[in-house]
Amino acid sequence: MDGQLLSETFVELTDTMVAGFDVIDFLHVLTDRSVQLLDVSAAGLLLADPRGELRVVAASSEAVRMLELFQLQNDQGPCLDCFRAGRPVAAADLSAEAQRWPRFAAAAQQAGFAAVQALPMRLRDQVIGALNLFRAVPGAFDPADIRIGQALADVATISLLHERSMRHSDTLNEQLQTALNSRVIIEQAKGKLAERLGLDMDQAFSVLRDHARTRNLRLSDVALAFVDGSETLARTGAAQEHSARRDRLPPG
Amino acid sequence: MLLLDAQDQAGGDLAALAGPGGQAADLALRRAEIDQATGMLTEQLGAGIGDAFVRLRAYAYARDLRLTDVARDIVARRLRLHPDPSRDGEA
């Protein structure tokens, strides 16, 4: 466990009151730091919309994003159970869960995941979503990891609820709607950048986010500027690096 | 404005296409792929988001394909569109 990174992460997950707060960025901090800090290979996050339906708002990779959508599509899986019960849900070996989640267990294994831990995004009796942690190898999750994962989810939940109450006391929906709108532009920007530099979607997302981070810009603003052509990302170090690597590598 | 138009079109198109049962959910699942494919087409066509989405939809309509299937082929780099529509699909 990287203690320095852990304490920095708690600060990041508390820091929603800054000018230029970007909810998508914030949620990606939660999924990415979960992967960095805990013994897990991937993380995904779902939040409930005003009708109580879960939406995928962040994922540490495309594979996890697709798997989270698959859960919602089939109305089946640990994240949904966790959200509905408001309690953690665990499966140490998905190959033994064909009865509990027939379609989800098969899809998760096909995506390369063998174990899952879902943690509620909860404050008292209000459950706003769930954080899913995945591992590539079967086995129980380390109890210390689960405690830290839940602590990260708790801090993020309080920050999200606080941000909602501070900025949009009358429209609770706005935070999530903003996130979903940003998601469209970010996916378009990923496609444009992937095509331009010959990257896959995960790499394209990294380049966009690194560009935003190093310049202290909001991810959604960078994505919008890139899509409308006012930002070329030409001077982005990560883009050059990806591009150079592509030039060096032989095809295939 | 174009961008907003494109989103409206995309939303309307999805709603119109959403059939009973699994298809609506499938469209939700593939929504990100449509957005990613539209972004890729802006580069292939040298067009804005709005025009890129129109071309994506036109390609699917003219060949009686589902929008989501065409988007998936573009994202998987099995299909490229060309600034000259008569040359769509060429490498």
Side-chain angles (χ1 to χ4, degrees), chain B:
Chain B
M1 276 320 287
L2 257 185
L3 194 66
L4 292 171
D5 284 346
Q7 280 173 49
D8 284 343
Q9 285 165 7
D13 202 69
L14 288 173
L17 275 170
Q23 201 180 358
D26 184 56
L27 283 162
L29 182 67
R30 299 297 168 189
R31 173 63 205 249
E33 275 176 328
I34 294 172
D35 295 329
Q36 290 167 2
T38 306
M40 290 173 75
L41 287 180
T42 61
E43 287 288 296
Q44 293 177 17
L45 306 173
I49 284 287
D51 289 341
F53 181 73
V54 167
R55 283 290 303 278
L56 173 66
R57 198 168 52 168
Y59 184 92
Y61 180 75
R63 286 159 186 78
D64 204 17
L65 298 169
R66 291 173 62 188
L67 188 61
T68 52
D69 291 338
V70 176
R72 197 181 315 177
D73 283 346
I74 289 170
V75 169
R77 295 184 160 95
R78 289 188 294 261
L79 171 67
R80 291 181 63 83
L81 300 193
H82 194 276
D84 172 0
S86 67
R87 296 177 61 192
D88 280 349
E90 291 180 15

Side-chain angles (χ1 to χ4, degrees), chain A residues 77-92 100-101 116-122 124 127 129-133 141-143 145-151 153-154:
Chain A
C79 223
L80 277 81
D81 291 356
C82 169
F83 173 69
R84 286 166 185 159
R87 281 197 300 273
V89 170
R100 184 153 54 151
W101 307 302
V116 61
Q117 171 78 55
L119 300 168
M121 300 280 288
R122 175 180 178 168
R124 291 187 284 277
V127 185
L131 174 66
N132 260 2
L133 306 174
F141 284 71
D142 182 345
D145 274 358
I146 295 177
R147 277 198 302 276
I148 290 167
Q150 186 66 64
D154 288 347

Side-chain angles (χ1 to χ4, degrees), chain A residues 62 65-66 69-70 73 181 183-185 187-192 194-196 198-201 224 227, chain B residues 3 6-7 22 25-26 28-33 35-44 49 75 77 80:
Chain A
E62 284 289 306
R65 194 180 58 76
M66 295 302 282
L69 285 165
F70 184 87
Q73 182 186 26
N181 291 345
R183 203 66 255 179
V184 170
I185 315 271
E187 297 302 334
Q188 290 170 346
K190 278 162 67 176
K192 182 174 178 177
E195 179 69 16
R196 182 173 289 182
L199 308 176
D200 68 28
M201 293 302 161
L224 184 58
V227 166
Chain B
L3 194 66
Q7 280 173 49
D26 184 56
L29 182 67
R30 299 297 168 189
R31 173 63 205 249
E33 275 176 328
D35 295 329
Q36 290 167 2
T38 306
M40 290 173 75
L41 287 180
T42 61
E43 287 288 296
Q44 293 177 17
I49 284 287
V75 169
R77 295 184 160 95
R80 291 181 63 83

Side-chain angles (χ1 to χ4, degrees), chain A residues 47-180:
Chain A
L47 291 182
D49 70 17
R51 291 180 301 169
E53 289 177 23
L54 288 172
R55 311 287 294 260
V56 181
V57 286
S60 64
S61 71
E62 284 289 306
V64 170
R65 194 180 58 76
M66 295 302 282
L67 188 57
E68 298 287 21
L69 285 165
F70 184 87
Q71 283 195 63
L72 301 182
Q73 182 186 26
N74 286 284
D75 195 30
Q76 173 191 103
C79 223
L80 277 81
D81 291 356
C82 169
F83 173 69
R84 286 166 185 159
R87 281 197 300 273
V89 170
D93 184 0
L94 282 167
S95 68
E97 301 290 356
Q99 295 243 305
R100 184 153 54 151
W101 307 302
R103 277 171 297 203
F104 169 78
Q109 289 176 89
Q110 202 178 359
F113 301 120
V116 61
Q117 171 78 55
L119 300 168
M121 300 280 288
R122 175 180 178 168
L123 180 65
R124 291 187 284 277
D125 56 356
Q126 188 174 10
V127 185
I128 64 169
L131 174 66
N132 260 2
L133 306 174
F134 295 92
R135 292 179 49 174
V137 290
F141 284 71
D142 182 345
D145 274 358
I146 295 177
R147 277 198 302 276
I148 290 167
Q150 186 66 64
L152 295 174
D154 288 347
V155 169
T157 301
I158 292 166
S159 296
L160 285 171
L161 290 172
H162 187 210
E163 203 263 346
R164 287 180 188 180
S165 66
M166 291 295 284
R167 289 177 201 260
H168 312 298
S169 52
D170 50 341
T171 52
L172 210 66
N173 181 23
E174 196 170 327
Q175 187 182 58
L176 184 64
Q177 198 55 52
T178 303
L180 294 171

Side-chain angles (χ1 to χ4, degrees), chain A residues 220-237:
Chain A
S220 49
D221 290 343
V222 169
L224 184 58
F226 180 62
V227 166
D228 76 17
S230 58
E231 167 62 70
T232 62
L233 298 179
R235 293 180 181 280
T236 292

